[in-house]
């Protein structure tokens, strides 16, 4: 007993002595240039790296250290490491303020999307492009689609994002590129279609575009990559910004294609606003957008107002010219009006450092009319095909409660949830609404004991409920469908010898649509990145992908302009694997910093899904069986090269430049061009060969010539290019910034986009084109060298708070169509006024 008491007293004495020989270091870490606090900076004791702390949401940290003179090392991604000497008094607190400077030899760019935690762009194992908020603002952007269309390798076709030729035209169903806002998916649950006008571009931190298979971290829809819109939280100083913009569309240069303006001037206008501030422990952001666009499709001659609504008036006469009848139909022009308001509310824990919780929301109401088909390729290229206009009243909202906790030793717990709702009230039996409930828990840990080692693990669940006339092709023809998706994932990241990064991950995903059975699929990824020389980095990655068909692909049953789209209840999930090797070289000239990146990519698909035209429908007038359908078409691959230059900064005190330049070559081809993926209503086999416009008429088709066909077929089999793809893409954005007399900032910039000729589309368009007079074949024959599109812009800071800008898009007023039967906008000219205080 005496021994026990003696031991206890000695232990108590030792703890007392230890407590008296330690002190507490309390401090804050800030950016030296801006004075803003830095979240997530690491502060460690130099003598024992296992003892450390991370700064909380206010940039504060607290660390217990032995008494005496000590050194602490402060690090944060994008900043130069800093060693600070401090004197710790026994049993007392010592205050410290650390000011960090950007790393002069590193790129000023931090990415979250690639690994779901902050990483420098040099350390990534995948290709990435970043769109800065200044570029979005200076280009006079009215939607997120406008903001990202300059991304190298990315194309927006009819609101559908296409990455490196991985997708063709799909009527907005089954995207292979996932769109996220603050790491959460923001696509409709039934079709996987983005609503670009819903994205809050007025409050951007940056837009991150990750290329290549991202299914391990983000799931099924990320087969070709992700687009993550990261919104900004308040800084230490309150900020208010208002952006006013107004513009108009120019008349087409061709006299026969000009529309009758009438009372509907082809104008558009926008108002963006947001305010952000810190209020005690609260971070508050409020923003919104009003947008009005009279459109460039139409109006038709004869549009008039009847009973308060615009109508198209058709006058019928007899042989003598006497009026026999007057017919009124719905509006025959495109337009869009929308109003959106959003807010982010986050409370930072006061008693519990590192705790934050809150709720974000976004609500939009819009009215629009749109068409997918032009009337014809001459005088009707800017007019809608008769009966093809769809009028839509759309209501969309999301509500996102969340809670985060960042522990003092590098651990972080995140719980994000989202309720997303979209209701499209259409006037042509295409109405649809869906609810999506999404939740994700994630745990990340940066280990101090194991240097530069991070684990990321998480689980997600998503439930979709859809009610739609549009999807009445389901088992009971009710149009009511549900989908369930659940997953768990793990990723490990380790840096060796301060130059080699290795990461690997696995994800197991569960899917079910209605009661048609379920699928459980594992996918894997592995990546390497190594510094070869000063600011020269080599990377390589491999990743598997899996995409489960959407409700829309399975059950859609509708028509667009009378053109039927039919369901495919037996459609199968598609799988893929992708590999990439790339080299990135940092560039530093004065205060200008950027990088040159070159990557080769290769991706193979099995059960590849394509939106294909054929004789799938009822054989009745006017289309006589012609219909579209989503079908598994066998195996395919896309290989190519992606090169880009990105940078910004000052060359001298008065001259700076921002640049984003990219070229992408993609070779999208079928590995089974003669794979029979179905039969049409006439009993003909459907293959890529039989449905491709690039080939002349084949056997059993009108105009067949055996010698001509066989020669073309032999050539086609060397490169069986997939439909609705571009082989070559060039995206360039260049802006020069001049500072005059230390007072005026003047910027002059421009963009250039090149789309190579789309070699292959559905042959059925060529076969029925004369019947409907669309002129699609004639248009393609006259525009078979690709399209060059130029935009210019300029801006001047009138004061520190006021900026005036000018933007002209499609300067040459080029008539071009990224896909058949849908013309892109003519020249548009706009002025914008930005006020910030």
């Amino acid at each position: 007993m005496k021994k026990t008491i003696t031991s206890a007293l000695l232990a108590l004495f030792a703890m007392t002595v230890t407590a008296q020989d330690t002190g507490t270091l309390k401090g804050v870490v800030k950016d030296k240039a801006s004075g803003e606090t830095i979240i997530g900076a690491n502060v460690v004791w130099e003598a024992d790296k296992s003892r450390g702390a991370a700064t909380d949401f206010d940039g504060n940290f607290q660390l217990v250290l032995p008494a005496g003179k000590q050194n602490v090392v402060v690090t944060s991604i994008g900043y130069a490491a800093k060693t600070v000497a401090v004197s710790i008094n026994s049993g007392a607190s010592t205050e410290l303020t650390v000011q960090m400077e950007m790393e002069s030899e590193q790129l000023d760019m931090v990415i979250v999307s690639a690994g779901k935690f902050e990483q420098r762009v040099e350390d990534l194992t995948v290709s990435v492009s970043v769109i800065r908020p200044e570029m979005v603002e200076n280009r006079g952007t009215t939607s997120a689609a406008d903001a990202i269309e300059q991304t190298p390798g990315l194309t927006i076709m009819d609101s559908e994002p296409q990455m490196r030729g991985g997708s063709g035209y799909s009527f907005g169903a089954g995207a292979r590129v996932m769109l996220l806002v603050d790491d959460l998916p923001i696509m409709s649950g039934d079709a996987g279609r983005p609503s670009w006008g819903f994205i809050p571009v007025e409050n951007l931190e940056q837009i991150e575009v990750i290329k290549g298979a991202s299914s391990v971290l983000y799931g099924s829809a990320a087969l070709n990559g992700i687009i993550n819109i990261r919104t900004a939280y308040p800084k230490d100083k309150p900020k208010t910004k208002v952006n006013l913009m107004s513009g108009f569309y120019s008349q087409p240069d061709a006299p026969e294609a000009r529309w009758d303006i009438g009372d509907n001037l082809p104008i558009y206008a926008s108002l963006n606003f947001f305010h952000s501030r810190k209020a005690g422990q609260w971070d508050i952001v409020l923003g919104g957008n009003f947008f009005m666009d009279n459109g460039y499709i139409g109006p038709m001659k004869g549009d008039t107002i009847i009973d308060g609504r615009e109508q198209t008036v058709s006058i019928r006469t007899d042989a003598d010219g006497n009026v026999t009848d007057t017919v009124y139909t719905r509006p025959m022009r495109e337009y869009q009006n929308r109003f959106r308001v959003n807010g982010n509310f986050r409370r930072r824990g006061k008693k519990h450092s590192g705790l934050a919780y809150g709720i974000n929301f976004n609500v939009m109401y819009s009215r629009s009319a749109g068409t997918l088909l032009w009337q014809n390729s001459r005088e009707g290229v800017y007019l809608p095909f008769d009966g093809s206009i769809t009028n839509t009243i759309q209501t969309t909202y999301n509500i996102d409660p969340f809670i985060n906790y960042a522990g003092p030793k590098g651990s972080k717990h995140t719980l994000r949830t989202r309720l997303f709702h979209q209701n499209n009230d259409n006037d042509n039996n295409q109405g649809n609404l869906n609810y999506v409930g999404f939740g994700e828990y994630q745990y990340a840990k940066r280990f101090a004991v194991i240097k530069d080692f991070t684990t990321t693990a998480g689980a997600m669940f998503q439930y979709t409920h859809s009610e739609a006339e549009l999807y009445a092709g389901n088992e009971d023809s009710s149009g009511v469908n549900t989908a369930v998706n659940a997953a768990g994932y793990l990723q490990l990241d380790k840096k060796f010898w301060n130059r080699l990064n290795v990461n690997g991950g696995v994800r197991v995903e569960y899917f079910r649509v209605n009661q048609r059975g379920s699928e459980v699929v594992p996918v894997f990824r592995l990546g390497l990145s190594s510094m070869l020389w000063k600011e020269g980095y080599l990377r390589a990655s491999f990743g598997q992908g899996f995409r489960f068909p959407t409700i829309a692909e399975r059950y859609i049953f509708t028509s667009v302009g009378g053109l039927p789209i039919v369901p495919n209840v037996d459609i199968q999930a598609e799988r893929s694997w992708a590999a990439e090797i790339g080299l990135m070289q940092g560039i530093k000239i004065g205060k200008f910093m950027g990088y040159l990146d070159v990557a080769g990519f290769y991706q193979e698909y099995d059960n590849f899904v394509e939106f294909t035209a054929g004789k799938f429908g009822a054989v009745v007038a006017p289309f006589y069986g012609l219909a579209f359908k989503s079908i598994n078409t066998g195996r395919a691959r896309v290989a190519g090269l992606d090169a880009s230059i990105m940078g910004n900064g000052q060359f001298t005190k008065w001259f700076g430049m921002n640049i984003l330049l990219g070229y992408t070559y993609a070779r999208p081809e079928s590995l089974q061009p003669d794979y029979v993926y179905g039969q049409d209503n006439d009993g003909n086999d459907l293959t890529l060969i039989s449905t491709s416009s690039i080939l002349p008429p084949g056997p059993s088709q009108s105009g067949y010539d055996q010698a001509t066909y066989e020669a073309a077929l032999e050539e086609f089999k060397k490169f069986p290019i997939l439909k609705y793809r571009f082989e070559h893409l060039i995206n360039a954005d260049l802006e020069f910034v001049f500072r005059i007399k230390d007072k005026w900032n003047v910027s002059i910039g421009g963009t250039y986009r090149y789309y190579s000729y789309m070699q292959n589309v559905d042959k059925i368009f060529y076969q029925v084109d004369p019947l409907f007079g669309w002129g699609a074949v004639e248009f393609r024959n006259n525009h078979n060298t690709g399209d060059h599109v130029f935009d210019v812009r300029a801006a001047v800071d009138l004061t520190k708070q006021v900026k005036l800008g000018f933007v002209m898009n499609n300067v040459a007023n080029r008539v071009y169509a990224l896909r058949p039967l849908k013309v892109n906008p003519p020249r548009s000219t706009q002025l914008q006024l930005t006020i910030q205080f």
Side-chain angles (χ1 to χ4, degrees):
M1 176 66 72
K2 290 181 178 180
K3 288 183 178 180
T4 303
I5 295 173
T6 302
S7 297
L9 290 173
L10 288 173
L12 179 62
F13 176 76
M15 288 189 295
T16 305
V17 172
T18 301
Q20 291 174 345
D21 288 341
T22 62
T24 302
L25 178 64
K26 295 181 178 180
V28 61
V29 179
K30 295 184 176 183
D31 183 295
K32 185 176 181 179
S34 67
E36 300 287 344
T37 56
I38 299 175
I39 302 172
N42 292 309
V43 184
V44 298
W45 183 25
E46 188 178 50
D48 181 3
K49 297 292 180 66
S50 66
R51 186 178 296 191
T55 57
D56 61 18
F57 291 98
D58 295 311
N60 297 320
F61 69 90
Q62 183 171 311
L63 183 61
V64 176
L65 294 174
K69 293 183 178 181
Q70 307 293 345
N71 288 334
V72 293
V73 180
V74 185
T75 59
S76 183
I77 293 177
Y79 291 88
K82 190 167 187 176
T83 301
V84 183
V86 293
S87 293
I88 304 298
N89 297 318
S90 179
S93 293
T94 302
E95 301 290 334
L96 176 68
T97 297
V98 182
Q99 294 185 324
M100 304 287 284
E101 295 183 274
M102 298 301 296
E103 208 161 8
S104 61
E105 297 297 327
Q106 301 287 345
L107 305 181
D108 178 16
M109 194 178 300
V110 177
I111 310 298
V112 173
S113 306
K116 289 206 170 185
F117 65 94
E118 288 191 346
Q119 296 173 279
R120 295 187 312 194
V121 68
E122 307 95 291
D123 294 334
L124 301 182
T125 61
V126 294
S127 290
V128 62
S129 292
V130 175
I131 307 296
R132 300 279 193 174
E134 309 86 59
M135 180 185 293
V136 175
E137 180 180 301
N138 292 345
R139 293 191 64 210
T141 297
T142 59
S143 80
D146 300 330
I148 67 171
E149 68 177 349
Q150 283 304 120
T151 304
L154 183 67
T155 306
I156 306 295
M157 184 189 299
D158 268 13
S159 296
E160 300 170 17
Q162 300 181 357
M163 193 90 75
R164 290 174 166 175
S167 300
Y169 178 63
S170 63
F171 189 60
R176 295 188 180 98
V177 177
M178 178 176 280
L179 179 66
L180 306 106
V181 172
D182 293 328
D183 301 320
L184 297 178
I186 198 71
M187 306 167 81
S188 64
D190 48 15
R193 184 179 178 88
S195 181
W196 297 106
F198 183 61
I199 309 301
V201 294
E202 63 273 5
N203 179 34
L204 282 181
E205 182 74 29
Q206 63 186 26
I207 301 176
E208 300 173 1
V209 180
I210 308 297
K211 305 170 189 178
S214 301
S215 294
V216 167
L217 287 178
Y218 292 98
S220 175
L223 200 65
N224 292 154
I226 66 162
I227 301 167
N228 192 5
I229 315 288
R230 291 178 54 198
T231 60
Y233 272 101
K235 307 298 183 183
D236 290 341
K237 296 180 180 179
K239 183 178 181 181
T240 301
K241 181 180 287 188
V242 178
N243 184 283
L244 296 162
M245 180 269 292
S246 182
F248 63 92
Y249 297 105
S250 297
Q251 286 274 20
D253 289 337
E256 68 275 10
R258 297 191 174 196
W259 57 76
D260 181 14
I261 294 177
D263 295 327
N264 296 298
L265 297 174
I267 61 174
Y268 55 94
S270 177
L271 166 65
N272 290 336
F273 65 91
F274 90 92
H275 173 75
S276 68
R277 69 182 304 116
K278 291 184 176 181
Q281 297 303 116
W282 284 96
D283 295 333
I284 300 172
V285 179
L286 289 172
N289 166 259
F290 170 77
F291 180 68
M292 178 278 295
D293 186 355
N294 277 346
Y296 62 91
I297 300 296
M300 288 280 290
K301 295 181 179 180
D303 282 1
T304 188
I305 304 297
I306 300 173
D307 295 331
R309 295 188 63 189
E310 186 184 74
Q311 304 286 326
T312 296
V313 183
S314 301
I315 308 297
R316 297 177 180 173
T317 61
D318 58 21
D320 298 323
N322 300 313
V323 176
T324 59
D325 195 10
T326 302
V327 179
Y328 304 102
T329 59
R330 62 174 181 261
M332 291 294 287
R333 67 180 181 91
E334 286 191 338
Y335 74 92
Q336 182 181 37
N337 299 322
R338 68 172 184 258
F339 174 73
R340 176 175 45 75
V341 62
N342 60 85
N344 296 354
F345 300 93
R346 180 176 71 181
R347 180 173 175 81
R348 291 166 276 112
K350 193 171 184 178
K351 294 182 179 179
H352 303 283
S353 179
L355 177 67
Y357 54 89
I359 189 168
N360 303 332
F361 74 89
N362 193 9
V363 182
M364 182 180 76
Y365 174 83
S366 70
R367 302 177 71 97
S368 62
T371 179
L372 297 175
L373 305 171
W374 65 40
Q375 190 178 86
N376 60 65
S377 61
R378 294 183 180 179
E379 72 280 357
V381 70
Y382 289 101
L383 299 177
F385 187 67
D386 293 342
S388 68
I389 284 283
T390 298
N391 290 276
T392 302
I393 300 175
Q394 184 186 86
T395 305
T396 308
Y397 66 77
N398 69 269
I399 303 172
D400 305 344
F402 66 90
I403 182 168
N404 302 326
Y405 175 71
K409 295 186 178 181
S411 63
K412 185 176 181 181
H413 301 263
T414 304
L415 177 63
R416 304 185 185 95
T417 61
R418 169 166 287 166
L419 173 63
F420 175 85
H421 170 68
Q422 188 172 78
N423 183 10
N424 294 300
D425 183 6
N426 299 331
D427 67 345
N428 55 358
N429 297 321
Q430 293 183 15
N432 59 93
L433 67 85
N434 68 91
Y435 292 90
V436 179
F438 181 91
E440 180 180 22
Y441 167 75
Q442 180 182 297
Y443 172 77
K445 172 73 173 178
R446 281 181 176 169
F447 291 87
V449 177
I450 307 175
K451 184 181 178 183
D452 296 325
F453 178 55
T454 303
T455 64
T456 306
M460 60 78 64
F461 179 83
Q462 178 173 304
Y463 177 81
T464 300
H465 176 85
S466 170
E467 299 178 17
E469 303 166 89
L470 198 60
Y471 308 131
N474 61 346
E475 292 82 1
D476 59 6
S477 302
S478 66
V480 177
N481 299 281
T482 60
V484 175
N485 178 204
Y489 59 86
L490 171 68
Q491 177 160 304
L492 307 177
D493 293 79
K494 178 70 175 80
K495 192 169 188 176
F496 297 93
W497 312 297
N498 206 33
R499 62 189 306 118
L500 174 65
N501 293 286
V502 180
N503 61 42
V506 60
R507 183 185 185 98
V508 179
E509 199 137 10
Y510 168 86
F511 300 89
R512 192 190 76 228
V513 172
N514 293 343
Q515 301 300 322
R516 288 186 57 83
S518 60
E519 289 195 53
V520 178
V521 180
V523 290
F524 302 88
R525 68 168 293 200
L526 178 67
L528 303 169
S529 174
S530 178
M531 183 173 69
L532 300 181
W533 51 76
K534 186 176 181 180
E535 296 311 308
Y537 300 86
L538 178 69
R539 68 177 183 275
S541 63
F542 168 86
Q544 294 177 310
F546 179 88
R547 193 182 72 83
F548 198 71
T550 62
I551 290 172
E553 289 173 296
R554 285 184 182 275
Y555 301 128
I556 188 169
F557 193 22
T558 187
S559 64
V560 178
L563 185 64
I565 303 173
V566 297
N568 183 1
V569 297
D570 297 319
I571 191 171
Q572 301 297 307
E574 56 184 354
R575 302 168 184 265
S576 82
W577 64 269
E580 176 181 307
I581 184 167
L583 179 66
M584 185 180 70
Q585 176 61 55
I587 302 170
K588 185 175 184 294
I589 305 174
K591 292 185 178 181
F592 176 88
M593 299 180 70
Y595 65 82
L596 166 66
D597 190 273
V598 180
F601 56 89
Y602 183 98
Q603 187 161 10
E604 280 199 15
Y605 304 83
D606 195 21
N607 276 342
F608 196 53
V609 176
E610 290 279 74
F611 190 62
T612 300
K615 290 186 177 180
F616 304 125
V619 186
V620 296
F623 291 98
Y624 301 100
L626 171 63
F628 275 91
K629 189 177 185 180
S630 294
I631 297 178
N632 296 107
T633 60
R635 296 176 57 229
R637 73 176 169 210
V638 180
L641 179 73
D642 194 276
S644 61
I645 298 175
M646 181 178 182
N648 63 83
Q650 298 291 123
F651 287 107
T652 67
K653 181 179 179 181
W654 56 269
F655 173 66
M657 183 177 72
N658 303 313
I659 184 172
L660 177 59
L661 171 65
Y663 165 73
T664 302
Y665 167 71
R667 186 182 172 94
E669 59 186 314
S670 172
L671 296 177
Q672 297 175 288
D674 52 0
Y675 173 81
V676 178
Y677 51 76
Q679 291 185 323
D680 62 24
N681 290 339
D682 295 332
N684 298 314
D685 288 342
L686 294 174
T687 67
L688 179 66
I689 291 174
S690 69
T691 61
S692 291
S693 67
I694 197 171
L695 290 171
S700 77
Q701 295 176 342
S702 177
Y704 170 65
D705 179 82
Q706 182 176 357
T708 302
Y709 176 77
E710 289 181 353
L713 179 59
E714 183 179 354
E715 194 65 28
F716 178 69
K717 285 186 174 181
K718 296 177 183 177
F719 179 22
I721 186 170
L722 298 171
K723 289 176 277 191
Y724 304 103
R725 264 67 168 196
F726 302 104
E727 277 190 83
H728 304 273
L729 291 172
I730 299 176
N731 304 76
D733 190 285
L734 183 63
E735 182 176 71
F736 299 103
V737 181
F738 304 90
R739 186 167 181 81
I740 303 174
K741 295 183 179 179
D742 291 327
K743 182 178 181 182
W744 302 93
N745 278 334
V746 178
S747 65
I748 300 173
T751 65
Y752 166 69
R753 297 181 299 282
Y754 170 72
Y755 308 92
S756 64
Y757 176 61
M758 184 181 288
Q759 296 187 43
N760 200 7
V761 300
D762 281 296
K763 180 179 284 189
I764 197 74
F765 280 125
Y766 282 56
Q767 295 169 336
V768 303
D769 192 52
L771 178 64
F772 299 103
W774 286 327
V777 178
E778 178 186 30
F779 187 91
R780 283 175 53 78
N781 289 338
N782 292 334
H783 297 76
N784 60 3
T785 58
D787 291 297
H788 305 265
V789 183
F790 297 89
D791 309 329
V792 296
R793 64 179 183 269
V796 57
D797 291 345
L798 302 179
T799 68
K800 289 185 177 180
Q801 291 79 33
V802 181
K803 180 168 68 175
L804 181 65
F806 166 84
V807 180
M808 180 179 288
N809 297 316
N810 192 4
V811 173
N813 206 19
R814 183 176 180 84
V815 178
Y816 70 105
L818 294 188
R819 73 143 174 93
L821 305 180
K822 177 65 175 179
V823 71
N824 284 78
R827 180 194 301 122
S828 63
T829 307
Q830 67 190 51
L831 289 175
Q832 62 178 12
L833 182 68
T834 302
I835 304 171
Q836 179 175 313
F837 50 89

